[in-house]
Amino acid sequence: MFWCISNPMNPTPIRHVARRFQHLALPGWLALGLAGIMNIGWWQPVFAEHRPCTSPGTVLNVGFFADFRPVSYSADPMPGSPGFHRHRGYEADLLDALEAMDGAKLRFSRRAVTSWPGIWLRAAEPEFDIVGGGITILDSRTRNAAGDTVVTFTSGHITFRQSLLVRAADVGRFSGYDQLDATVRIGALAGTTGEYRLLVLTGLAQPNGRLAKGVHVETPSGLVVADGSDRWMITASGSRSDLAGRTKLYNPSDNKPEIIYNTDVMQLLAMVLDGKIDAFARGEIGNRDASHDSGGRLAIGVLDPVKELGGFALDHENTELASCLSEKLDWLTDHRRIGYSEWRTDPDVFMKRATGQPNSTGSSPSL
């Protein structure tokens, strides 16, 4: 698609641009030349008319998850420290770019959130206007425990896939989810998409989250044995309070892997390295980052074939702001043609696009 400077969200084909200059009696070659210049990536952002998302002086309160490197995390993980509410990562740079977009009138005040379960629902509370932190967009996450719709999401700005992180020497053992049997112990974070997809892919739960009959769940309140009914569900949006604080999940009557729970990512990574568990079920981005940091000791064993999109959560009544943010996010990510891989290569890729600078390829991608 070729660009026109008037509206980045509805670009005009090059032939229409040429016609606009013809009525000025310009030579045809000059009309086409000007249109060609406007097709160069750096030209468009400078002249883009980005409609404002808020009224002048508005500051939006953003809650961000403090512990999801490299997507969203605190500069200092210690609550109360000067750097705790200093946002870092992919989403931090994306928000910075939104603030830099001329005409968008977006300003954010950010505060770190340490608790993951149901973090997206915080967007429906008075404290925050927007909540982020690598949140997978799911229809089930728009509703609270009572089933009422309370949250809406922006368009997706990042693509996720679930994965298993294993010791590099064991990669051959984990080339498929169908190879996971009762001899395998897998670490997981409760209430995440990684946990839900692992349970489904291994047959410990149905696609709707219903635990298979005979599944045992160890919790602080005692042992729970699923009877195969909808009473015992684990989804990416949550689970019954009876299953809160779960530490282990397994099915002694079936040849399925044992799931070990921990709330600390670093401890789970250490458990893989120490051989206490065989794998860590988590999103590909976080696991690849951990693999890189391990110096070759850890590697991705298997990837979930399903792709997911991550976005920001807002109160369901704030649809106008959600729509405006989506428009800006689509522009900054070039409708997801610019994503995590491009940001990893050039962390300034979104800021360059927002301010009209050439990116690492010398031009900004077209819409």
Side-chain angles (χ1 to χ4, degrees), residues 4-342:
C4 171
I5 59 177
S6 62
N7 186 350
M9 309 316 297
N10 186 23
T12 304
I14 190 171
R15 63 181 181 276
H16 294 171
V17 176
R19 286 187 194 137
R20 292 184 182 180
F21 288 97
Q22 287 173 358
H23 80 280
L24 298 177
L26 292 173
W29 62 267
L30 180 57
L32 290 173
L34 286 169
I37 289 174
M38 284 181 281
N39 191 40
I40 298 175
W42 54 263
W43 182 279
Q44 206 283 335
V46 175
F47 292 89
E49 297 176 2
H50 294 293
R51 68 183 177 97
C53 290
T54 64
S55 57
T58 299
V59 177
L60 298 171
N61 294 318
V62 177
F64 68 89
F65 188 49
D67 191 23
F68 184 17
R69 288 176 179 268
V71 176
S72 172
Y73 60 97
S74 295
D76 189 328
M78 184 65 65
S81 67
F84 181 62
H85 294 297
R86 202 173 302 141
H87 198 191
R88 293 289 183 267
Y90 174 96
E91 285 192 354
D93 289 347
L94 198 54
L95 290 175
D96 288 345
L98 285 170
E99 289 184 306
M101 292 181 76
D102 187 34
K105 297 189 184 303
L106 286 166
R107 294 294 179 268
F108 305 117
S109 174
R110 309 182 210 184
R111 295 187 64 80
V113 178
T114 58
S115 177
W116 172 262
I119 187 175
W120 46 90
L121 296 176
R122 300 285 296 274
E125 299 173 0
E127 184 178 4
F128 298 120
D129 300 297
I130 303 169
V131 172
I135 303 172
T136 299
I137 300 171
L138 297 170
D139 179 67
S140 59
R141 286 181 170 175
T142 65
R143 296 183 290 275
N144 61 16
D148 301 321
T149 298
V150 296
V151 164
T152 189
F153 284 97
T154 62
S155 58
H157 60 71
I158 189 170
T159 301
F160 295 130
R161 291 176 72 184
Q162 299 307 314
S163 67
L164 291 183
L165 184 71
V166 303
R167 290 178 292 279
D170 294 337
V171 167
R173 291 179 56 202
F174 300 96
S175 59
Y177 286 95
D178 57 350
Q179 297 178 348
L180 305 177
D181 56 28
T183 66
V184 177
R185 306 179 84 214
I186 303 175
L189 296 162
T192 63
T193 314
E195 176 202 20
Y196 162 70
R197 287 296 298 165
L198 175 65
L199 297 180
V200 171
L201 288 166
T202 56
L204 287 164
Q206 298 298 315
N208 67 351
R210 184 176 66 244
L211 295 178
K213 185 177 181 179
V215 165
H216 288 45
V217 185
E218 295 183 8
T219 76
S221 301
L223 179 67
V224 170
V225 180
D227 58 7
S229 71
D230 288 347
R231 180 183 179 187
W232 306 111
M233 307 270 288
I234 294 179
T235 71
S237 303
S239 60
R240 286 176 55 96
S241 59
D242 312 62
L243 301 177
R246 51 191 174 276
T247 57
K248 186 185 295 187
L249 184 151
Y250 55 97
N251 192 338
S253 63
D254 203 351
N255 191 28
K256 304 295 184 185
E258 183 177 83
I259 314 302
I260 306 297
Y261 292 94
N262 196 307
T263 59
D264 190 313
V265 170
M266 298 309 295
Q267 288 188 25
L268 285 165
L269 292 173
M271 290 169 71
V272 177
L273 287 169
D274 295 342
K276 295 179 181 178
I277 57 177
D278 299 294
F280 178 19
R282 189 170 60 148
E284 177 188 8
I285 290 175
N287 275 348
R288 287 207 183 280
D289 199 61
S291 173
H292 178 270
D293 292 344
S294 74
R297 293 180 297 167
L298 298 174
I300 298 289
V302 61
L303 283 170
D304 187 339
V306 173
K307 293 184 178 181
E308 308 154 351
L309 294 178
F312 294 104
L314 294 86
D315 185 279
H316 78 294
E317 294 184 348
N318 212 347
T319 55
E320 185 174 348
L321 177 59
S323 175
C324 193
L325 286 172
S326 295
E327 177 183 293
K328 306 298 184 283
L329 290 168
D330 288 345
W331 159 243
L332 287 174
T333 65
D334 196 17
H335 295 272
R336 293 192 292 277
R337 285 188 283 268
I338 304 173
Y340 174 76
S341 295
E342 291 73 21

